[in-house]
Amino acid sequence: MIVLAAGQGTRMKSPLPKVLHPVGGRPILGAILDAVASLAPERVVVVTGPAQPSVAAFVQARGAVNAIQDPPKGTGHAAQCALPALEGFSGDVLILYGDTPLLTPETLAGLIAAKGPHALALLGFTPLDPGQYGRLILDPDNKFLLRIVEAKDASYTERAVRFCNAGGFVLDAVLLRELLAGLANDNAQGEFYLTDIVAGARAKGLKAVAFDAPVDDVMGVNSQAELAEAEAVFQKRARLAHMKAGVSLADPATVYFSADTEIGAGTTIGPNVVIASGVTIAAGVTVKPFCHLEGVTIATGAVIGPFARLRPGSEIGEDVHIGNFVETKAAKLDKGAKANHLTYLGDVSVGAGANIGAGTITCNYDGFFKYRTEIGAGAFIGSNSSLVAPVSIGDNANVGAGSVITKNVAPDALALTRAIQTDKTGWAARFRSMMRARKAASAKKD
Ligand code: UD1
Ligand code: CA
């Protein structure tokens, strides 16, 4: 199969190549490759531009073949550039555009089924506003395709057609080679249009059909506004899918998921929660409102938030409590540990049942390097303590509130670093009467 991804994406007005823009935290191109994986294609060739090393690297990381189109001269020319990589391949070839992040395996299966005995099948759709999409021109019986006309080349009556080209073609490899060899660029954009293969097939007396796909599945992303639209559709689908799998969402429209989010049944997620990439939440977890989660695994029984920020590398164990204004990064908390208020836990392991008091900070960075903190099982860290890493607190040790810990603390010990308290009997009362007298004297002078 071939994915065309060499276009400049100029309408995005962004330094990031269009196909690497994320939808649900996953690059558009990745979403397409994931949808296509359901068809188990023999070969996957992605056509990229010469000045897109980041796209080429992404393609290689995904185990696909990268073909270069230099310079880009249209979608038909892009498909031609993929042909050497299909050398020796026979059978049907699927060609997709690289800017359709919402394609589903079901729609691809529908396209392939629609081809049946015909020479060519393509993905069509009927958007509310056909805008710049290519128009599908059908025969008088509305059965077979005569040709595709790009909006820029269309006559007034052709532009009124609402059945459009979504960008997905399936046809035999031998025919594809023949049709691509016959393309010309005598059109409004001076490009070689892949869409002209439909008229080419027709000229050979072959039949081409369109599969009418759901609009949401095939929308193309060409601008930032369309990227946001695609994201909205992705989120709507993700919310429904997670609820269907048994996740409770009190206010679904305010919870944001990523393509790789995994959540077990019976987990509850409150309003205004953002789940960025790399999050796995077990069954029976409670995530309270206003949390931001990224790169974290959360075990069953854990209670998170409200207002918690869990950053990459965090492993939240069973029944752990993470409360308001707590930030974790590369923090592993074992069963039943608690950090309920106003705390930073970075590069740390916290043993089972340990209690981290309000305002505790792991000082993990000296401006040059990061260091680890180990907190033992059952340890009790008093409020407003700074643990200056590298440092370890032994099992069941206590740290007195307000301590700055720079040395390891032995198991079962109490570590205190604050000054000894001194009480001066009656001092406050004497101070008040002295100051009141002073104020009265200065008022008289005025
Ligand atoms: C294209 C179709 C149009 C269809 C629409 C669906 C053509 C001529 N037009 O228009 O009929 O309705 O998609 O979304 O095919 N690309 C290359 N090399 C190039 C040009 C483009 O690889 O030289 C790639 C792009 O990276 C993109 C895809 O092909 O992923 C489609 O190109 P784009 O410029 O977005 O085409 P549209 O104008 O949207
Ligand atoms: Ca497009």
Side-chain angles (χ1 to χ4, degrees):
M1 77 144 305
I2 303 171
V3 183
L4 308 183
Q8 319 282 17
T10 43
R11 288 170 279 176
M12 297 299 285
K13 300 203 171 108
S14 157
L16 186 67
K18 172 163 82 171
V19 297
L20 293 187
H21 281 74
V23 172
R26 171 178 58 180
I28 295 173
L29 182 55
I32 294 169
L33 296 178
D34 285 349
V36 156
S38 63
L39 303 171
E42 218 168 276
R43 292 189 208 178
V44 178
V45 183
V46 181
V47 183
T48 65
Q52 300 179 324
S54 52
V55 185
F58 183 81
V59 170
Q60 269 141 28
R62 292 290 308 243
V65 178
N66 185 210
I68 305 280
Q69 184 193 18
D70 184 12
K73 289 189 273 188
T75 51
H77 176 241
Q80 285 167 352
C81 295
L83 291 179
L86 288 181
E87 199 60 54
F89 174 83
S90 62
D92 278 347
V93 180
L94 171 67
I95 307 173
L96 296 173
Y97 295 155
D99 62 356
T100 51
L102 301 167
L103 267 184
T104 60
E106 293 74 27
T107 286
L108 293 175
L111 168 66
I112 285 160
K115 179 171 177 283
H118 309 302
L120 187 158
L122 62 81
L123 281 178
F125 72 131
T126 312
L128 268 182
D129 171 15
Q132 288 306 303
Y133 288 112
R135 307 299 202 266
L136 299 181
I137 310 298
L138 296 168
D139 66 11
D141 297 335
N142 278 338
K143 197 158 178 225
F144 295 108
L145 286 156
L146 298 178
R147 62 202 163 88
I148 302 178
V149 56
E150 289 303 297
K152 285 180 181 143
D153 301 292
S155 67
Y156 184 77
T157 27
E158 285 167 338
R159 251 198 296 272
V161 171
R162 284 185 51 216
F163 196 24
C164 292
N165 170 31
F169 301 81
V170 53
L171 70 167
D172 182 76
V174 174
L175 177 62
L176 174 66
R177 282 172 202 282
E178 281 174 28
L179 294 176
L180 288 179
L183 293 182
N185 64 348
D186 49 350
N187 51 52
Q189 302 183 84
E191 289 184 356
F192 294 91
Y193 291 163
L194 177 59
T195 45
D196 285 345
I197 63 172
V198 172
R202 184 79 191 181
K204 286 177 182 291
L206 300 169
K207 299 261 191 288
V209 290
F211 173 68
D212 196 0
V215 176
D216 276 356
D217 280 20
V218 293
M219 71 165 284
V221 169
N222 301 295
S223 63
Q224 299 290 345
E226 285 172 353
L227 181 68
E229 262 177 61
E231 181 72 33
V233 174
F234 170 86
Q235 293 299 341
K236 199 171 128 201
R237 283 183 184 174
R239 288 164 191 144
L240 288 172
H242 286 294
M243 287 191 284
K244 201 170 165 206
V247 178
S248 300
L249 304 177
D251 187 3
T254 66
V255 181
Y256 295 85
F257 297 95
S258 293
D260 63 357
T261 304
E262 288 176 32
I263 310 179
T267 279
T268 297
I269 300 188
N272 296 299
V273 170
V274 176
I275 302 179
S277 297
V279 174
T280 301
I281 305 177
V285 170
T286 302
V287 180
K288 295 183 177 178
F290 297 100
C291 291
H292 189 282
L293 316 178
E294 181 179 9
V296 52
T297 60
I298 305 176
T300 191
V303 179
I304 311 295
F307 296 100
R309 179 171 182 212
L310 307 188
R311 293 171 50 205
S314 297
E315 283 177 54
I316 309 300
E318 254 177 71
D319 302 324
V320 164
H321 287 199
I322 300 286
N324 37 245
F325 307 107
V326 172
E327 173 181 350
T328 69
K329 189 222 63 172
K332 182 174 185 299
L333 285 87
D334 291 344
K335 187 174 172 142
K338 287 184 183 153
N340 271 326
H341 337 263
L342 300 156
T343 286
Y344 173 62
L345 293 172
D347 300 308
V348 61
S349 61
V350 178
N355 188 90
I356 312 294
T360 298
I361 305 290
T362 52
C363 309
N364 61 333
Y365 185 48
D366 60 9
F368 296 91
F369 297 102
K370 301 266 172 71
Y371 306 93
R372 290 197 61 82
T373 300
E374 315 276 339
I375 298 174
F380 184 96
I381 312 298
S383 294
N384 202 30
S385 293
S386 305
L387 309 177
V388 182
V391 73
S392 81
I393 315 292
D395 288 354
N396 300 307
N398 273 34
V399 169
S403 293
V404 177
I405 301 295
T406 55
K407 291 184 294 200
N408 293 347
V409 178
D412 288 314
L414 166 69
L416 277 177
T417 68
R418 58 187 189 231
I420 302 220
Q421 184 171 333
T422 49
D423 282 7
K424 300 192 175 172
T425 311
W427 183 93
R430 286 197 300 280
F431 175 74
R432 274 195 304 273
S433 46
M434 179 183 83
M435 295 311 271
R436 275 191 201 120
R438 203 178 276 177
K439 203 164 185 183
S442 82
K444 250 185 226 158
K445 267 190 219 148
D446 294 344

